[in-house]
Amino acid sequence: MKKTVIVSSPGKLIIGGEHAVVYGRRALVTSIGMRLYMQLTVDENTDKQTEKHLLNFILHDTNQRYSIDLSESSDTQPIEIEAVIYVYNQFKSSLSETGVFNIEVRSEIPIGAGLGSSAAFSVCLVGCFHLLCYGKLCLEDINELAYKVECLFHGTPSGVDNTISTFGQSLLYSRVSKKHLNFRLSNLAIIDTGIPKSTKRMVGLVRSFVENTPEEGEKILNDIETCVDAMVEHPDEINELFQRNQQLLKHLGVSIVEIDQIVEILLKNSISTKITGAGGGGCLIALTSTFTKEQILE
């Protein structure tokens, strides 16, 4: 007998609060209209002589295909497969004794661009198994387990990515609280630098900075949180706050020469721009006013 479930989850933009949120400060984050879609089909095996769970996994966007025996998993698998194995083990007791799992993934979210692709993947993966086993979705439970999957990808993430990918909308988020907001920016552009970035490496770089210069580090983290609060309370000052937030991220060491050049060029044209996500590459966000896409590229 075959069972099929399909789920999707949005990508995200951090408007303000990158890295500071890892240290308990507030971040302003919103979901975006780019989604990851995942389909899980289980073909339950009636042959009790082979008590195995097999996995066929397809990432359509990168044309990656894997077939493994889930009972003979190892740590040498690609990170996506490690994630599947981890989630599978959490739900194993609720699954039939044998069968074939077919997972297909399609995504509109660029990988490694700071737009929450791994979080959307983690949330969808947990959501698929949750829906398969329980017939319904409990967002709180999905978010909790998706965070643990995110730890496989990024080490010690803040939890903001999986939370916004689970609940959507806009959030004022910290490790201890989340508040839904009616926060929208109609004049926002996402600029992909085309430079690969590593969230884990950037988080580690900031940790070294904060540990080695604790007084300066704490002040920068507090100033970033002040920017976030002002974005929520005084949206009319968002241009200046973007510039201030970007300078603070630069002081943390997560900007690079190419990003600095983009920010400088756009600022000369009165376009405020900042990193979104971990930095070191990936995407920037810009308050474009009346500029068209073609004018920004020029």
Side-chain angles (χ1 to χ4, degrees):
M1 182 176 69
K2 286 188 177 182
K3 296 180 180 177
T4 298
V5 294
I6 301 173
V7 299
S8 73
S9 188
K12 70 88 175 64
L13 284 179
I14 296 182
I15 305 299
E18 293 88 348
H19 291 288
V21 70
V22 176
Y23 298 86
R25 274 67 169 190
R26 289 179 290 279
L28 177 59
V29 59
T30 187
S31 55
I32 57 176
M34 304 167 77
R35 302 183 74 87
L36 182 141
Y37 300 85
M38 185 177 295
Q39 175 177 297
L40 169 60
T41 299
V42 181
D43 190 357
E44 295 180 349
N45 193 345
T46 57
D47 182 3
K48 297 299 182 181
Q49 293 180 344
T50 57
E51 294 188 0
K52 291 183 177 182
H53 278 149
L54 305 177
L55 170 67
N56 295 317
F57 182 85
I58 303 174
L59 283 165
H60 285 284
D61 303 284
T62 55
N63 200 29
Q64 293 171 273
R65 296 169 182 263
Y66 304 96
S67 294
I68 66 167
D69 182 345
L70 287 168
S71 64
E72 299 176 359
S73 58
S74 70
D75 294 333
T76 60
Q77 300 287 354
I79 187 66
E80 294 87 357
I81 300 300
E82 285 187 34
V84 175
I85 293 168
Y86 176 80
V87 174
Y88 159 79
N89 284 327
Q90 308 307 305
F91 290 91
K92 188 176 180 180
S93 61
S94 300
L95 299 168
S96 62
E97 293 180 358
T98 62
V100 178
F101 294 84
N102 297 293
I103 296 178
E104 297 186 46
V105 181
R106 289 181 171 83
S107 182
E108 302 164 346
I109 309 167
I111 297 172
L115 300 181
S117 62
S118 70
F121 178 90
S122 301
V123 170
C124 282
L125 183 59
V126 175
C128 275
F129 277 93
H130 207 280
L131 194 57
L132 179 72
C133 293
Y134 307 132
K136 60 182 180 179
L137 298 174
C138 176
L139 296 185
E140 291 290 351
D141 290 347
I142 289 170
N143 189 43
E144 183 178 343
L145 183 53
Y147 172 75
K148 295 177 181 178
V149 181
E150 275 285 87
C151 289
L152 298 178
F153 284 97
H154 301 307
T156 55
S158 66
V160 64
D161 284 20
N162 51 276
T163 301
I164 195 67
S165 196
T166 300
F167 294 96
Q169 302 182 349
S170 296
L171 291 174
L172 187 62
Y173 173 91
S174 74
R175 286 189 182 274
V176 296
S177 68
K178 60 178 184 289
K179 178 182 179 183
H180 287 280
L181 301 173
N182 183 23
F183 185 90
R184 293 176 179 271
L185 291 172
S186 59
N187 60 332
L188 196 70
I190 302 172
I191 301 171
D192 189 349
T193 65
I195 303 168
K197 58 89 188 170
S198 167
T199 297
K200 185 180 289 187
R201 186 170 70 84
M202 290 295 105
V203 169
L205 186 151
V206 172
R207 178 173 290 106
S208 295
F209 180 91
V210 172
E211 290 176 353
N212 293 328
T213 56
E215 187 173 338
E216 183 180 4
E218 287 296 311
K219 183 180 186 309
I220 291 174
L221 296 175
N222 290 335
D223 286 348
I224 289 175
E225 184 177 54
T226 299
C227 280
V228 169
D229 291 340
M231 288 177 186
V232 176
E233 296 167 8
H234 306 288
D236 55 312
E237 300 175 7
I238 194 90
N239 278 283
E240 294 79 9
L241 294 167
F242 259 43
Q243 295 171 38
R244 175 63 175 154
N245 197 168
Q246 174 60 25
Q247 287 303 309
L248 292 167
L249 291 169
K250 184 177 179 179
H251 289 159
L252 279 181
V254 298
S255 191
I256 57 175
V257 172
E258 292 87 346
I259 288 176
D260 293 342
Q261 290 174 339
I262 294 170
V263 170
E264 183 179 349
I265 290 168
L266 292 178
L267 190 57
K268 287 179 179 178
N269 290 273
S270 302
I271 300 174
S272 297
T273 310
K274 66 177 288 293
I275 289 167
T276 182
C283 286
L284 311 176
I285 50 176
L287 294 165
T288 59
S289 186
T290 58
F291 286 84
T292 65
K293 175 180 175 180
E294 289 71 22
Q295 287 173 321
I296 294 171
L297 288 171
E298 179 63 29

